[in-house]
Amino acid sequence: MSITSGLNAQPTPEVIVDETADASTTIDTLRGQIDALDTAIARLVAERAQLSRRIQTARINAGGTRIELGRERAIIDHYRSALGSEGASVGEAVLRACRGAR
Ligand SMILES: C=C(O[C@@H]1C=C(C(=O)O)C=C[C@H]1O)C(=O)O
């Protein structure tokens, strides 16, 4: 299975802004949309972390290691392909968030 096949990415919703509004109203509207996206991103990362920890626990219980670097490299490559050069940093941050104990 490819990395992407389990993802259910949705298109970014259309940005609806009143073109006659003043700048501060436009900024408030767009910031509201950014806040909603950040909430969704955080929820997805938390959901991802739960799945990741289940895999890590299963592997440890089977006598393996918590970390699998080859798989992590593929994930970072995926983020780089999707987001450009800064995508690798995003992928690394996501992996870190999914590794820590909670
Ligand atoms: C979840 C896994 O275990 C670890 C965590 C990973 C992740 O959060 O994506 C990836 C590789 C492993 O270091 C896995 O092997 O898939």
Side-chain angles (χ1 to χ4, degrees):
M1 195 204 312
S2 76
I3 294 170
T4 49
S5 62
L7 296 177
N8 187 22
Q10 300 296 313
T12 305
E14 278 297 313
V15 176
I16 300 165
V17 178
D18 177 0
E19 299 297 339
T20 65
D22 65 18
S24 73
T25 303
T26 299
I27 289 167
D28 283 351
T29 300
L30 296 176
R31 281 186 175 168
Q33 295 185 13
I34 284 176
D35 289 346
L37 286 174
D38 283 338
T39 298
I41 290 167
R43 181 181 52 74
L44 287 171
V45 171
E47 189 179 326
R48 186 193 190 286
Q50 286 188 350
L51 295 174
S52 177
R53 283 173 201 146
R54 284 172 63 186
I55 293 173
Q56 294 169 49
T57 299
R59 197 165 42 238
I60 287 167
N61 289 344
T65 57
R66 175 181 297 278
I67 302 301
E68 202 176 287
L69 291 178
R71 168 75 176 157
E72 295 202 356
R73 273 193 294 275
I75 289 166
I76 290 166
D77 285 348
H78 176 67
Y79 274 93
R80 189 185 292 109
S81 298
L83 301 175
S85 56
E86 290 303 318
S89 303
V90 175
E92 286 163 3
V94 168
L95 286 169
R96 273 198 307 279
C98 293
R99 245 190 230 155
R102 267 222 186 140

